[in-house]
Amino acid sequence: MFRSKSDIFAFIETHHAQAGVSALCRRYLVTTAGFYAWSRRGESDHAKQDRVLSKEIERLFALHRERYGSPRIHHQLATAGWRVSRRRVARLMQAAGMRAKAVQGYRAKASIHQRYARHPNRLWNTSVTKPDQVWVGDITYLKVAATWWYLAIVMDQYSRRILAWTLTRQRTAAVTCAVLAQAVRMRPARGVIFHSDRGSEYMGAPFCAQVAQFGFAQSASVRGPGDNAHAESFFHSLKAELTRGISFATESSLRRQLDEYMLYYNTVRVHSSLNYLSPLAFERRAT
């Protein structure tokens, strides 16, 4: 974590107001006498840079509400003109106890690739190279007080942009039809592949008829996690960064937080898979 005792002493100098010199010295196995001797000598240029850099890292970490780990923080610093390695950023974040809200990844099951005649998985043979080529839809559950609510989304797979979403008490074809219609109103398009899982709200006659009415080709995943990975990844991020550990007393309070998060996700939050751009910035670069 630290390359030298000087790095430890510099860290203690920065954080001793919160935790105390003695406690920090015990934690990092150095002596208080050594710390005060170092203080009288003055810190090195490298330690001074670490102290300034740590404050900027803390600012960015707080700005993004503890959602960014060292790769994204490093990218933000580099964009702002800082010349610093990712390893150094990771070291300073670890030393300060800054750890991004975790998102556990999904892993596809390779043994369940089966084809279905009516709605095949069209993504297996599709290379996604532009917006409005593939949209994906999915539903997850969120808790309000003691009641489960359902969040349905439509996402552009190319840019990861959330095109439409709705929060409802029911999980029906009427809900998926409504959120798809909302996405089409926002971005009229033809010839889109719409991909989802095989839940009844997507495979039922009302939704299939609407997909055909919009001139879309319907695609469906195999039976198992991971085959609708972009939507699943978004839900994991949302739950890790917004709802985990938080209790929502009312539907309106959850809806306000979702409004804010969707705007943040589309316009601010950078994605490593999008060359550290936000979905909106990535789309603009492609057009």
Side-chain angles (χ1 to χ4, degrees), residues 13-280:
E13 176 68 21
T14 302
H15 296 88
H16 74 274
Q18 292 81 24
V21 171
S22 297
L24 289 172
C25 285
R26 286 195 300 272
R27 178 178 178 181
Y28 294 108
L29 304 178
V30 294
T31 65
T32 54
F35 169 74
Y36 288 119
W38 171 87
S39 297
R40 288 191 293 271
R41 290 195 302 271
E43 60 184 337
S44 66
D45 289 341
H46 187 274
K48 290 177 182 177
Q49 292 169 3
D50 272 0
R51 182 157 50 84
V52 174
L53 181 58
S54 291
K55 290 187 179 297
E56 180 62 11
I57 290 172
E58 289 174 5
R59 186 188 71 81
L60 291 170
F61 190 66
L63 177 66
H64 292 279
R65 300 188 180 182
E66 302 181 4
R67 294 164 178 158
Y68 277 16
S70 58
R72 288 191 175 97
I73 293 290
H74 174 261
H75 179 266
Q76 295 286 288
L77 290 167
T79 301
W82 290 79
R83 299 184 65 181
V84 59
S85 70
R86 183 185 295 184
R87 183 176 179 180
R88 188 177 183 185
V89 172
R91 173 175 61 81
L92 292 174
M93 290 184 70
Q94 184 179 6
M98 287 182 278
R99 185 175 181 179
K101 296 175 180 177
V103 180
Q104 184 177 0
Y106 249 60
R107 181 174 296 176
K109 294 183 179 179
S111 62
I112 56 176
H113 283 196
Q114 307 166 18
R115 289 190 176 274
Y116 293 78
R118 186 180 179 195
H119 297 302
N121 186 337
R122 301 178 190 274
L123 301 191
W124 286 346
N125 300 313
T126 301
S127 176
V128 183
T129 59
K130 61 183 180 180
D132 298 329
Q133 183 181 356
V134 175
W135 291 0
V136 299
D138 205 353
I139 297 178
T140 194
Y141 53 88
L142 300 171
K143 200 169 189 179
V144 176
T147 304
W148 291 110
W149 286 67
Y150 295 97
L151 173 66
I153 65 160
V154 174
M155 168 193 282
D156 185 285
Q157 181 172 314
Y158 175 77
S159 66
R160 317 295 198 268
R161 184 177 181 180
I162 303 302
L163 303 178
W165 64 275
T166 188
L167 185 67
T168 177
R169 287 286 302 276
Q170 297 179 322
R171 182 171 182 165
T172 64
V175 172
T176 52
C177 285
V179 75
L180 179 59
Q182 181 184 342
V184 171
R185 285 194 298 272
M186 175 188 171
R187 289 226 304 225
R190 303 285 291 183
V192 174
I193 295 174
F194 184 86
H195 184 80
S196 69
D197 62 23
R198 293 182 177 273
S200 60
E201 59 274 2
Y202 291 108
M203 295 295 101
F207 187 81
C208 294
Q210 186 175 61
V211 170
Q213 178 186 343
F214 288 144
F216 291 3
Q218 193 162 1
S219 170
S221 63
V222 297
R223 297 185 184 276
D227 204 38
N228 196 11
H230 293 85
E232 292 163 358
S233 175
F234 168 75
F235 285 146
H236 274 264
S237 296
L238 180 141
K239 290 179 180 180
E241 298 175 359
L242 180 67
T243 65
R244 184 172 297 165
I246 298 177
S247 298
F248 295 95
T250 64
E251 173 266 339
S252 60
S253 64
L254 173 58
R255 191 176 295 275
R256 283 194 300 271
Q257 290 297 312
L258 287 171
D259 266 327
E260 180 182 317
Y261 185 80
M262 297 298 181
L263 180 63
Y264 169 80
Y265 184 89
N266 280 338
T267 63
V268 177
R269 187 185 188 276
V270 298
H271 299 246
S272 57
S273 59
L274 303 180
N275 296 323
Y276 288 98
L277 296 173
S278 69
L280 184 59

